[in-house]
Amino acid sequence: MQVRVARIGKPHGIRGEVTAQVLTDSPEDRFVVGAVFDVDPASQSSLSVRSLTVRSARWNKDILVLGFEEVPDRNRAEELRGATLSIDTDEVEDEDDEGWYEHELVGLEVRVEGERVGTVSALQVMPAQDLLVIETPQGEVLVPFVEEIVPEVDPEGGFVVVVPPAGLFELNAEPAAAPQGGQTREDDGGAEGDGGKGA
């Protein structure tokens, strides 16, 4: 099975390097010189290369910067923008049995106190802690992917259980366009606030 390990961002410098959003728990083990990744181009890209070989990997503060043998300059690096890098899980020794891959989480129903509040749309692997990206009727919500807040993950059952701190969904949801003065639009109860449902 193919598992995504990074999403390529913008070019960095003039030597063909690119920034990368890390989608794996073990970037130091994955992104080493000589490692080969399968490439899934962005939908609008005409990129023809189907694999990339790591030439260099370094950290610029919290951003991973990658160079590839097949990408000699900034113009070629620009063609990679939005592409994802994948590996075959049959060739990977999984050293973290407690970890979850993004493909195992995307599409799972999100439940709070037994009620469906949204769907997992992505997993953001961050230096401090990972974040679940949840699509809700009020917008996109970022939830820290820690056991205290996400105590249950059940891919076979098709759901995750979230125990959000007070206001988490309302604070993180993308605000809906509302008239000045904070008036809600057409909620039945005319509730005050930002329009988010209380969990």
Side-chain angles (χ1 to χ4, degrees):
M1 178 183 294
Q2 291 290 309
V3 174
R4 293 184 292 176
V5 295
R7 182 176 293 108
I8 295 177
K10 62 185 179 181
H12 184 86
I14 62 173
R15 296 180 297 176
E17 292 181 313
V18 296
T19 60
Q21 177 190 4
V22 177
L23 304 175
T24 173
D25 291 331
S26 306
E28 292 82 4
D29 297 328
R30 300 284 181 258
F31 304 106
V32 296
V33 174
V36 179
F37 297 98
D38 296 326
V39 181
D40 183 14
S43 57
Q44 73 277 12
S45 173
S46 58
L47 184 67
S48 59
V49 64
R50 287 293 176 260
S51 65
L52 291 170
T53 306
V54 176
R55 181 184 73 233
S56 62
R58 59 188 177 87
W59 291 92
N60 182 11
K61 297 183 179 179
D62 293 333
I63 303 298
L64 179 63
V65 178
L66 298 174
F68 300 102
E69 298 288 352
E70 298 83 357
V71 185
D73 54 42
R74 188 179 181 90
N75 288 338
R76 290 299 302 277
E78 183 64 44
E79 296 176 4
L80 295 176
R81 189 190 291 259
T84 55
L85 304 180
S86 303
I87 53 176
D88 191 333
T89 54
D90 291 340
E91 300 175 0
V92 176
E93 295 182 5
D94 191 353
E95 298 176 356
D96 185 1
D97 293 335
E98 297 182 357
W100 296 96
Y101 288 116
E102 185 179 36
H103 75 274
E104 297 175 298
L105 301 168
V106 171
L108 295 183
E109 178 180 288
V110 179
R111 299 177 183 175
V112 175
E113 297 182 349
E115 293 188 14
R116 182 184 186 279
V117 298
T119 305
V120 177
S121 61
L123 171 66
Q124 293 186 1
V125 179
M126 310 296 286
Q129 65 183 13
D130 297 345
L131 298 171
L132 282 182
V133 182
I134 298 175
E135 291 294 336
T136 77
Q138 290 76 38
E140 188 176 90
V141 177
L142 301 179
V143 174
F145 194 22
V146 295
E147 187 173 358
E148 293 80 6
I149 298 177
V150 189
E152 184 176 357
V153 179
D154 187 350
E156 293 184 0
F159 67 90
V160 300
V161 173
V162 174
V163 183
L168 175 68
F169 277 70
E170 289 80 3
L171 288 172
N172 284 316
E174 295 178 352
Q180 291 186 346
Q183 295 287 335
T184 54
R185 295 197 298 274
E186 66 253 1
D187 291 348
D188 292 339
E192 293 179 2
D194 61 3
K197 285 186 177 179

